[in-house]
Amino acid sequence: MPPKEKLVVIIGPTSVGKTALSLTLAKRFHGEIISGDSMQVYRQMDIGTAKASEEEQRIVPHYMIDILEPDEEFSVAHFQAEASRLITEINQRGNIPFIVGGTGLYIQSVTHRYEFSEASQDSELRDRLQRLADLEGSEVLHKRLADFDPITAERLHPNDTKRLIRAIEIYEKTGMRMSDHQNRAATSPFDLVMIGLTMDRAKLYERINHRVDLMIEAGLIEEVRQLLDKGYDPALVSMQGLGYKELIPYLYGEITLEKAVNDIKQRTRHFAKRQLSWFRRMEEIQWFDLTDPNDYPQVIATITELLEGKFHQTPNI
C-alpha cells in the first residue's frame, strides 16, 4: 500500500495570523501554500480578500489565488478537485502542501473527501426562488433553509442567494438535506496535521477592526469602484464578499462612508464567530492560542516539533 500523501492545514478566523505563521512554517518544511479561502480565487479583488502579497508569494509558492474573473463560477466541488490535484503534485516534488485559510467547508471537503450531491437542476424552481429573493430579500430563503437544514444554513451567509437556492433545490428534488448529501470519509486519507489558531475574542475583534481600517487606507474603496466601473454586477457571489458588499451602497451615494466601514467591521466580526463555530466541530484540529505575542516563539517551536515528528523531516532553521 503506497504511503499517504502529506498535508498540513492551518485554519482559524479572519485576522488571527494565519498568513504569517504559514510563511514561517512553509519556509522551514519545504512547503507550498494552497489558499483555502473561497474569495482569493478572484482576480482584481486583492485588498478586500487579504491575499498574500507579491513578495510573500515569491518567498513560498502559492496556489488557488487569482485563477478566475469575478463573474466566473466557482464552487466547493471545484476547489476540492483542484486542491486535491495540487496536493498530489506537491507531494511528488518532495515538498509539503499547506492549505491555509478560513473557509471550513472548502478545506474539510478536501481533508475528508466529501462526496457532493449530483441532484439535477430545476430551472423553474430556481427561477421561482430567485423571484422570491428579489421581492422579499435573500434572508427569506435563509430562514426557509434553516427550517429543514440548520447545518447548511449556519455555514451559508443570508445574502448568498445562489448557494441558498441550490441547498433548497437539493431538498425539494431529493427529500434530503445538502448536509446529508455531503458524505465524508470517517478518517482523512492524508497523513494530516490540522493546526487551528485562536485568540481572545476581544483582541481578535480589535485586530479585525484595525485590519478593516488598513484596507480602507490601502485603497479598498477604489478597488470596489473599479469593479463596478468594469460592469461587474453587485449581485455576483464575488461582490457579496466582506468589504465589497458594504462599500457598494456607499459608492452609489446611499449611505455614508462611516456607516459602510462600521458595517464591514460588524459583518467581519460575525463572520469570524461563524468560522470558529464551524472549526470547533473539526475534531482533528490541534489548537494554538495567539492572544499573547510573547507566546508566539513557543507556539512556533511546538508546531515545528509536531511537524518534525509527524513527517520525520528536519526543518530549515
Side-chain angles (χ1 to χ4, degrees):
M1 201 173 162
K4 291 182 177 181
E5 295 177 330
K6 300 173 182 176
L7 177 62
V8 177
V9 173
I10 300 176
I11 62 173
T14 183
S15 302
V16 78
K18 298 183 294 294
T19 298
L21 180 72
S22 66
L23 288 168
T24 297
L25 294 175
K27 284 189 292 184
R28 291 191 178 190
F29 287 94
H30 302 286
E32 302 183 37
I33 293 174
I34 301 168
S35 169
D37 187 298
S38 61
M39 290 295 295
Q40 292 186 354
V41 296
Y42 297 112
R43 302 185 190 102
Q44 309 176 63
M45 306 181 77
D46 302 330
I47 300 171
T49 62
K51 291 174 186 169
S53 67
E54 291 183 4
E55 180 182 354
E56 289 168 337
Q57 293 186 47
R58 283 194 294 270
I59 294 171
V60 174
H62 283 67
Y63 307 94
M64 300 301 285
I65 293 176
D66 291 336
I67 61 173
L68 298 173
E69 296 301 333
D71 57 355
E72 291 186 276
E73 295 277 336
F74 191 65
S75 70
V76 62
H78 293 145
F79 176 83
Q80 181 192 57
E82 185 64 12
S84 298
R85 180 186 67 79
L86 288 165
I87 289 168
T88 297
E89 290 181 358
I90 294 168
N91 270 274
Q92 288 173 346
R93 287 194 286 271
N95 295 335
I96 297 179
F98 284 70
I99 296 183
V100 181
T103 306
L105 176 64
Y106 278 49
I107 293 170
Q108 211 167 15
S109 76
V110 175
T111 61
H112 288 77
R113 295 269 168 87
Y114 276 28
E115 296 178 7
F116 293 98
S117 168
E118 296 298 330
S120 60
Q121 297 183 2
D122 184 330
S123 58
E124 183 179 339
L125 172 62
R126 286 188 166 207
D127 289 344
R128 177 156 46 87
L129 293 172
Q130 184 63 61
R131 287 195 299 273
L132 179 62
D134 292 341
L135 288 171
E136 302 184 29
S138 58
E139 291 83 359
V140 70
L141 299 183
H142 191 264
K143 290 176 183 176
R144 179 170 170 180
L145 176 63
D147 288 340
F148 59 82
D149 191 353
I151 294 175
T152 301
E154 181 181 344
R155 72 169 179 81
L156 293 181
H157 191 273
N159 291 328
D160 193 347
T161 307
K162 177 182 173 183
R163 293 190 174 95
L164 291 170
I165 289 174
R166 178 57 176 159
I168 295 171
E169 178 185 41
I170 288 174
Y171 183 74
E172 294 285 343
K173 293 287 289 182
T174 69
M176 295 181 69
R177 301 169 297 180
M178 178 179 278
S179 52
D180 295 328
H181 276 272
Q182 290 168 357
N183 298 320
R184 50 165 285 180
T187 58
S188 176
F190 298 104
D191 193 4
L192 176 67
V193 175
M194 298 193 77
I195 297 164
L197 304 182
T198 188
M199 181 176 288
D200 171 77
R201 183 162 293 181
K203 181 170 183 181
L204 178 64
Y205 287 176
E206 181 183 317
R207 285 170 63 92
I208 287 171
N209 292 341
H210 181 59
R211 173 185 270 193
V212 172
D213 289 336
L214 291 178
M215 286 178 172
I216 296 296
E217 292 176 14
L220 179 58
I221 296 171
E222 186 58 31
E223 184 169 273
V224 179
R225 191 195 313 274
Q226 289 178 4
L227 291 165
L228 293 173
D229 288 346
K230 290 177 180 178
Y232 289 112
D233 189 333
L236 288 169
V237 171
S238 60
M239 297 291 278
Q240 295 290 309
L242 290 167
Y244 298 89
K245 176 182 173 63
E246 298 80 7
L247 283 172
I248 290 171
Y250 161 70
L251 290 170
Y252 285 165
E254 298 169 2
I255 62 174
T256 65
L257 178 58
E258 180 182 13
K259 175 168 174 47
V261 172
N262 286 336
D263 286 349
I264 296 171
K265 292 177 179 178
Q266 182 182 55
R267 185 178 170 206
T268 305
R269 293 193 299 266
H270 290 167
F271 176 62
K273 186 176 179 180
R274 290 199 307 274
Q275 286 178 301
L276 283 167
S277 295
W278 179 279
F279 298 147
R280 294 296 184 190
R281 297 198 298 264
M282 298 167 69
E283 297 176 356
E284 300 92 339
I285 297 176
Q286 300 183 60
W287 289 98
F288 296 88
D289 193 312
L290 299 184
T291 301
D292 188 346
N294 295 322
D295 294 338
Y296 194 75
Q298 184 56 52
V299 169
I300 292 290
T302 301
I303 297 175
T304 296
E305 184 177 345
L306 170 66
L307 296 181
E308 185 178 8
K310 177 73 170 177
F311 300 131
H312 309 293
Q313 185 169 334
T314 304
N316 300 317
I317 302 299

